[in-house]
Amino acid sequence: MVTHALDAVDLVKTYPAGRKKPPLRALDGLTFSVPEGIVLGLLGPNGAGKSTTVKILTTLSRADSGTARVAGHDVVREQDQVRHAIGFVPQKSSSDPMATGVENLVLSGRIYGLSRVNAVRRATELLERFGLTEFGDRQVKTYSGGMQRKLDVALGLVHRPQVLFLDEPTTGLDPEARADLWNEVGRLSGDEGLTVLLTTHYLEEADRLAGQLAIVDHGKIVAEGTPEALKAELRGDSVHVELVDPDLDGTVRALLSGLAGVGEIVVEGNALRARVDRGATAVPAVLGALEDKAIPVTAVTVSRPSLDDVYLQYTGRSFRAVEEEAA
Amino acid sequence: MSTAIPGFTTHTRFITGRWLRAQYRQPALIAFTLVQPAIWLLLFGQLFKGVVNIPGFSDSSYIAFLTPGIVMMTALMTSGWSGTTFIADMERGVMDRMLASPVSRGGLMAGQLISNATTTLIQTILVFAIGMAAGARYDGGAAGYLVTIGVSMLVGIGFGSLSNAVALLTRQQEALIGISQFVSLPLTFMSSIMIDPSVAPHWVNVAARFNPVDWAAIAARQALAADPDWSSVLRHSGLLLAFTLFVGWLSTRAFRTYQRSV
Ligand SMILES: Nc1ncnc2c1ncn2[C@@H]1O[C@H](COP(=O)(O)OP(=O)(O)OP(=O)(O)O)[C@@H](O)[C@H]1O
Ligand SMILES: [Mg+2]
C-alpha cells in the first residue's frame, strides 16, 4: 500500500459574501491524495480555490466539512502534529521585513524547538543553499523580490518538514530567480524525499516540477494525473490558427465546426484553437475553407496536446488568458 | 524532528525578542510619541495654573497633579497603535506563516505586548522628567514611582491587547485607528487625568469609576503622595491587573476568529 503524505476528502469551504448574498463556495467537494515524495502541482484559474486548499491543509483555516490528513495526521484533531510536520510558504511574502535574513530564520527555527546553536547552523546552511549568504545580515526590506521569495522558501524548510506547501512560489519573479527556485525545489523532492504541494500559474513550472498534477476549477478537482497521462488522455492533435482580424460574428467558428474531424473550437480574439483527429489532414482542410471565404490568416500551427490544451479542455479557458487576467 | 515543542514561556521570550529588535531599530518612533504628552504637560500646566486655587482641589501644584495622568494617557494613546504591527504581519504572509506553525498563541500575543510595555516604561520615565522639569514635585518615596511605572505598563498591555484584538478582527489599518481613537478620547476625559474629581461634574466621576485608565491614575497619584492610602493603591492596581489579564485572555482568542476568516 502506498502511504499518502496528503489526503483530502470532500473538502467544502464557504466564505460569507456579504449581506443578502448566498455564501461563496470556495471549495466544493475537493478530493485528492498525494503519495510521499511527490511534487503535486495544483493548477487553476484565479479564485479556483488553490490557496483555500493550502490554508486548510496547513491548519491555518478550517473546512466547513470534509476531512484531510497531512503526514498521517488529521488537520483538525491533530493540529499540533500537522504543524510540526509541515512547512508553509504563503502566497504573500512571509518574512519580517524589519529583521535580517538570519534573524528571520533563527526565530523560526527556535519556534519549532531548535536550540540556538542548531538554529544558527541551519540558518547559515539555508542561506548558503539559496545563494543569500552575503545578504544574511541585511534587513529583509532591502532584499529584491526574488531574494525575498527565496528566503520565504528557506523559512518553510528550517525545521526540516516532511511536507512543504508552496503557494505560487515564483509568481512575479524574473526568469533567473525562477530557474534558481525550480532547481532547489527539484532537489528537495528528488534527494530529500520531501512531499511538495505547489500551486502555480505557470504551466512550464508545473510541467517541469510536478510529478502529479491536479487542475482545480470552481473548488473542485476537474482533472488529475501525471502531466504525461493528462496529455495522453486528449485525443488527436491541436490546431492553432491566428487570424488577421478577430472573429467577432462567429463566421470562422461556424465555418470550422462544419468540417469533419474538427471539434472543441475555442476563439479568443484573433486566436482560434481546435482539436482535430489528425493534424496532417485537418490543416489543409482548415486553410482551404478559410481561403474559400477570403478570410486572411497570419499563422497556423499544429501540435501534440500540451498542458495548455489540457487546461483548456478542463477549465474552458486557455492558460494564456488566465495569465493575462492575473497580470 | 524529535525536539519537544517549546511552550508559552519560551515562545513569549522569542516573540518579545523579535519585537524589541524591531523597536530598537526605530528609536525615533518613541521620541515621536513623546511630542504629544510634552505639549499637554507644558501647555496645560501653564494654562490651568489657576486650577489649584479652585476650592477643594487637593494638590498644591497642578503640574504635579497632571503628570501621572499624562503618563497614563500616553500609555493609552501609544497602545492604541499596537495592533498596527499585527496588521502589517497580516498584510504580508507573516501572520499566516506563524499561525500555521506550532507557536503558542498566548506567546504571540504576550511577546508583542511585553515589547510594547518596554516602550511604555521609557515613556513613563521621560514624561516624568518633563513634568519635573516643569516644576512637579512629589513627597512620596521610590515606591510611588515604581507603582506609577507598574500601572502605566498595565495600561499599555491591557489596551495594547485590545488594539491587537481589534486588528485581528477588522484586519484593516483604518478601522483599527478609528476605533482606538474613538475609545481613547472618552477614556481620557471621563477620568481624573486632567481635573480633580472634586471639581468635575458628577456624571464624569460616576463614569470614571469604571475606567481602567482612571484606576491607574488614582493608584499612581496616591502612591506618589506624601501619605499614601495604600489600600486604595492596592484596590485600584488590583482592578487594573484583573482587567489586563482578562482582556489579554480575550484578545488571544481573537486569533481563532482571525483564522476563521482567512
Ligand atoms: N478570506 C476570504 N474571505 C472571503 N472570500 C475569500 C477569502 N479567501 C478566498 N476567498 C474567495 O474564495 C475563492 C477561492 O479563493 P482562493 O484564494 O483559494 O483562490 P486561488 O485559486 O488561490 O486564486 P489565485 O490564483 O488568484 O491565488 C475566491 O472566490 C475568493 O474570492
Ligand atoms: Mg491563491
Side-chain angles (χ1 to χ4, degrees):
Chain A
M1 197 191 101
V2 192
T3 31
H4 285 162
L6 291 175
D7 245 318
V9 181
D10 225 6
L11 293 178
V12 174
K13 173 78 180 175
T14 56
Y15 288 108
R19 242 174 286 162
K20 297 210 176 120
K21 281 190 218 146
L24 188 145
R25 258 177 124 72
L27 297 186
D28 190 15
L30 185 120
T31 302
F32 71 95
S33 58
V34 188
E36 260 172 38
I38 294 276
V39 179
L40 172 80
L42 215 52
L43 278 167
N46 286 120
K50 304 181 294 293
S51 295
T52 307
T53 308
V54 170
K55 285 178 199 164
I56 289 169
L57 295 179
T58 53
T59 76
L60 178 61
S61 173
R62 191 178 287 196
D64 299 356
S65 67
T67 56
R69 299 179 78 78
V70 174
H73 303 292
D74 186 280
V75 292
V76 177
R77 276 177 288 117
E78 298 166 298
Q79 245 176 18
D80 279 343
Q81 286 96 318
V82 172
R83 285 176 179 160
H84 218 55
I86 60 166
F88 175 30
V89 179
Q91 190 166 344
K92 292 180 280 185
S93 188
S94 62
S95 54
D96 173 4
M98 292 300 292
T100 67
V102 172
E103 287 163 355
N104 265 291
L105 290 164
V106 170
L107 172 63
S108 185
R110 298 287 272 149
I111 284 174
Y112 284 91
L114 266 62
S115 69
R116 171 135 207 109
V117 175
N118 282 338
V120 171
R121 189 179 304 146
R122 182 75 176 141
T124 316
E125 199 177 295
L126 285 165
L127 287 170
E128 165 98 46
R129 173 168 196 170
F130 286 91
L132 294 171
T133 304
E134 58 178 305
F135 307 102
D137 289 325
R138 288 206 348 216
Q139 274 177 288
V140 171
K141 65 178 182 187
T142 67
Y143 285 23
S144 71
M147 285 155 65
Q148 292 202 16
R149 212 52 183 145
K150 286 176 191 169
L151 181 65
D152 288 340
V153 179
L155 278 168
L157 292 170
V158 171
H159 53 292
R160 301 180 199 279
Q162 294 164 255
V163 182
L164 180 66
F165 292 87
L166 298 172
D167 200 352
E168 298 195 18
T170 66
T171 300
L173 296 193
D174 61 67
E176 198 185 328
R178 183 172 301 154
D180 285 353
L181 265 177
W182 285 355
N183 282 336
E184 277 317 311
V185 175
R187 252 178 63 188
L188 287 169
S189 64
D191 309 346
E192 300 184 14
L194 191 68
T195 308
V196 180
L197 190 157
L198 164 99
T199 83
T200 179
H201 271 201
Y202 300 104
L203 285 172
E204 196 191 344
E205 180 164 297
D207 220 352
R208 162 122 189 233
L209 290 179
Q212 199 183 328
L213 277 182
I215 298 179
V216 195
D217 199 18
H218 300 297
K220 282 199 180 88
I221 303 281
V222 290
E224 200 182 359
T226 63
E228 292 68 36
L230 283 172
K231 288 182 222 169
E233 262 174 39
L234 296 185
R235 295 170 300 110
D237 294 319
S238 165
V239 170
H240 188 150
V241 183
E242 243 175 77
L243 302 168
V244 174
D245 306 306
D247 181 37
L248 295 177
D249 53 4
T251 330
V252 180
R253 177 193 286 270
L255 188 65
L256 294 196
S257 48
L259 298 176
V262 177
E264 295 165 26
I265 301 165
V266 178
V267 184
E268 271 163 8
N270 288 14
L272 188 145
R273 279 157 179 283
R275 178 146 322 288
V276 299
D277 293 340
R278 287 187 54 225
T281 54
V283 170
V286 166
L287 279 176
L290 290 172
E291 208 174 304
D292 283 348
K293 294 275 188 255
I295 297 168
V297 169
T298 318
V300 176
T301 48
V302 61
S303 56
R304 297 288 307 138
S306 66
L307 268 187
D308 206 358
D309 297 303
V310 174
Y311 191 86
L312 176 69
Q313 163 89 5
Y314 290 105
T315 67
R317 270 163 284 184
S318 100
F319 212 82
R320 285 306 141 240
V322 171
E323 262 178 39
E324 276 153 25
E325 253 173 59
Chain B
M1 265 183 283
S2 58
T3 358
I5 309 170
F8 170 72
T9 334
T10 321
H11 279 156
T12 302
R13 194 153 52 80
F14 299 152
I15 302 293
T16 308
R18 174 195 166 190
W19 292 114
L20 279 179
R21 213 164 41 211
Q23 250 171 241
Y24 166 75
R25 285 191 180 137
Q26 299 173 297
L29 280 187
I30 296 187
F32 187 69
T33 58
L34 281 171
V35 175
Q36 217 187 350
I39 293 175
W40 283 99
L41 271 178
L42 301 177
L43 192 73
F44 283 86
Q46 289 303 311
L47 227 57
F48 298 129
K49 255 188 179 151
V51 171
V52 282
N53 299 328
I54 298 172
F57 217 93
S58 46
D59 235 317
S60 56
S61 125
Y62 181 57
I63 197 86
F65 172 85
L66 187 63
T67 302
I70 295 294
V71 163
M72 302 314 152
M73 190 185 102
T74 309
L76 173 69
M77 300 283 185
T78 310
S79 66
W81 291 88
S82 171
T84 57
T85 60
F86 273 28
I87 304 245
D89 271 4
M90 288 177 223
E91 278 168 358
R92 277 174 89 87
V94 184
M95 184 64 85
D96 290 356
R97 175 168 60 86
M98 286 287 179
L99 292 176
S101 85
V103 74
S104 145
R105 280 22 183 186
L108 217 48
M109 185 60 75
Q112 197 267 2
L113 293 170
I114 290 172
S115 129
N116 269 358
T118 64
T119 309
T120 310
L121 170 74
I122 297 168
Q123 284 176 330
T124 299
I125 293 170
L126 293 177
V127 171
F128 254 98
I130 299 170
M132 297 220 163
R137 292 290 175 272
Y138 298 97
D139 305 325
Y145 294 102
L146 288 180
V147 167
T148 308
I149 287 173
V151 293
S152 70
M153 286 169 83
L154 285 180
V155 168
I157 291 175
F159 287 94
S161 78
L162 282 179
S163 171
N164 290 350
V166 172
L168 286 167
L169 300 182
T170 65
R171 298 185 281 157
Q172 271 177 2
Q173 179 90 352
E174 295 77 11
L176 169 66
I177 298 304
I179 291 174
S180 75
Q181 282 178 353
F182 184 77
V183 171
S184 55
L185 245 91
L187 283 175
T188 305
F189 291 104
M190 282 187 247
S191 75
S192 61
I193 285 180
M194 308 212 188
I195 306 180
D196 189 283
S198 59
V199 291
H202 177 66
W203 66 271
V204 168
N205 287 337
V206 172
R209 242 180 270 153
F210 303 96
N211 182 349
V213 189
D214 198 48
W215 303 338
I218 292 173
R221 273 197 305 264
Q222 273 296 342
L224 286 163
D227 183 19
D229 173 358
W230 287 111
S231 79
S232 161
V233 173
L234 214 63
R235 192 173 66 250
H236 287 104
S237 321
L239 276 173
L240 183 63
L241 179 65
F243 165 79
T244 304
L245 290 175
F246 175 69
V247 292
W249 169 80
L250 207 65
S251 304
T252 302
R253 295 186 60 93
F255 283 117
R256 294 191 201 182
T257 316
Y258 169 77
Q259 281 186 259
R260 233 172 279 136
S261 71
V262 289

